[in-house]
Amino acid sequence: MGLSEIKDRMRKAETDAGRAPGCVTLIAVSKVQPDARVEAVLTQGQRCFGENRVQEAAGKWPGFRERFDGIDLHLIGPLQTNKTRQAFDLFQAIHSVDRPKLARTIARLAQEVGHCPDLFLQVNTGEEDQKAGVLPGDIDSFVAECRALDLPVKGLMCIPPVDEEPSLHFALLAKMAARNGISGLSMGMSGDFERAIALGATHIRVGSAIFGEREHG
Ligand SMILES: *Cc1c(COP(=O)(O)O)cnc(C)c1O
């Protein structure tokens, strides 16, 4: 596939849904991709990327930042509290805020350094044991807790169960966001981003459809 085909499909999905062309942000998920592939996508003009590990991003992105302006990096994987400071240095957005302790750590650090990445609260919409995220029943109180800490809550994020129709989860996430007055929705990946756009995604996270299959991870 590739970047330009994904963008064409995004425009079509936006238009089909009656949404403004270009309103959805594409996060190109570059985790475990060889540098040459990432560089090719940077050269085509893409600037917004997603990584799921702080350590991997720290090894990879400072070098690209020296050579390409305007890189917008999003953390889409789990964040340990002891890596929060490093995450602040690397990322403009964190999509995996999934527990009060992490929210409090982020709030303390934001106070200290005077800025904070955009935050998305991760919801475990499928209530899967192995998956991160707050349970659907806990999201309203978690939003309130984050707001009480003055955190910049930009959106909600979900990763639907692999064996279920993702649209149900996208619709559920959209409903939780709407009732909490939250405008951002980080949802949709290579296999289902058009359905996510139809249901209001503002940020889609697409990896393999842009870069090709990952060798591992
Ligand atoms: C890897 C990953 C993606 C991208 O998945 P693809 O199927 O390759 O598009 C999206 N979101 C998260 C949280 C991921 O870890």
Side-chain angles (χ1 to χ4, degrees):
M1 229 166 284
L3 183 66
S4 64
E5 186 186 336
I6 295 299
K7 286 190 164 170
D8 289 347
R9 287 171 54 189
M10 287 175 72
R11 293 303 95 88
K12 180 165 188 316
E14 287 160 348
T15 312
D16 287 351
R19 303 179 62 190
C23 69
V24 177
T25 299
L26 172 63
I27 304 170
V29 178
S30 48
K31 65 183 183 197
V32 308
Q33 295 291 350
D35 282 357
R37 285 192 194 168
V38 179
E39 180 161 348
V41 170
L42 277 161
T43 304
Q44 291 170 65
Q46 177 69 18
R47 287 296 179 272
C48 183
F49 290 84
E51 289 284 346
N52 70 336
R53 288 170 199 267
V54 175
Q55 222 47 52
E56 185 185 338
K60 193 159 156 188
W61 285 96
F64 283 132
R65 281 200 157 115
E66 284 176 14
R67 299 169 44 222
F68 296 91
D69 286 331
I71 288 171
D72 183 25
L73 203 56
H74 293 230
L75 178 64
I76 60 169
L79 178 58
Q80 293 167 256
T81 46
N82 65 0
K83 297 224 170 94
T84 308
R85 192 177 289 273
Q86 201 179 6
F88 264 55
D89 290 341
L90 280 166
F91 296 101
Q92 283 63 60
I94 298 172
H95 291 238
S96 48
V97 181
D98 62 355
R99 58 199 192 278
K101 183 180 179 215
L102 178 60
R104 288 193 296 271
T105 303
I106 290 173
R108 252 193 322 271
L109 195 57
Q111 281 285 327
E112 185 192 318
V113 301
H115 73 93
C116 189
D118 288 344
L119 302 178
F120 291 74
L121 312 185
Q122 185 173 351
V123 185
N124 185 357
T125 56
E127 308 196 26
E128 296 172 280
D129 288 338
Q130 79 282 11
K131 212 162 259 177
V134 300
L135 294 172
D138 295 334
I139 187 61
D140 295 357
S141 61
F142 189 46
V143 170
E145 196 169 352
C146 290
R147 284 180 170 154
L149 290 166
D150 265 334
L151 291 177
V153 178
K154 294 288 158 144
L156 302 183
M157 179 272 225
C158 75
I159 308 170
V162 285
D163 54 355
E164 287 182 30
E165 169 52 47
S167 294
L168 302 174
H169 296 268
F170 298 155
L172 180 63
L173 196 73
K175 210 163 123 187
M176 291 185 288
R179 74 169 180 248
N180 282 289
I182 291 173
S183 56
L185 286 170
S186 169
M187 57 190 199
M189 318 200 301
S190 291
D192 55 23
F193 68 85
E194 281 125 328
R195 279 172 283 178
I197 290 173
L199 289 164
T202 59
H203 295 69
I204 60 172
R205 312 177 308 265
V206 179
S208 45
I210 294 174
F211 294 101
E213 290 302 322
R214 288 178 289 273
E215 318 253 313
H216 56 93

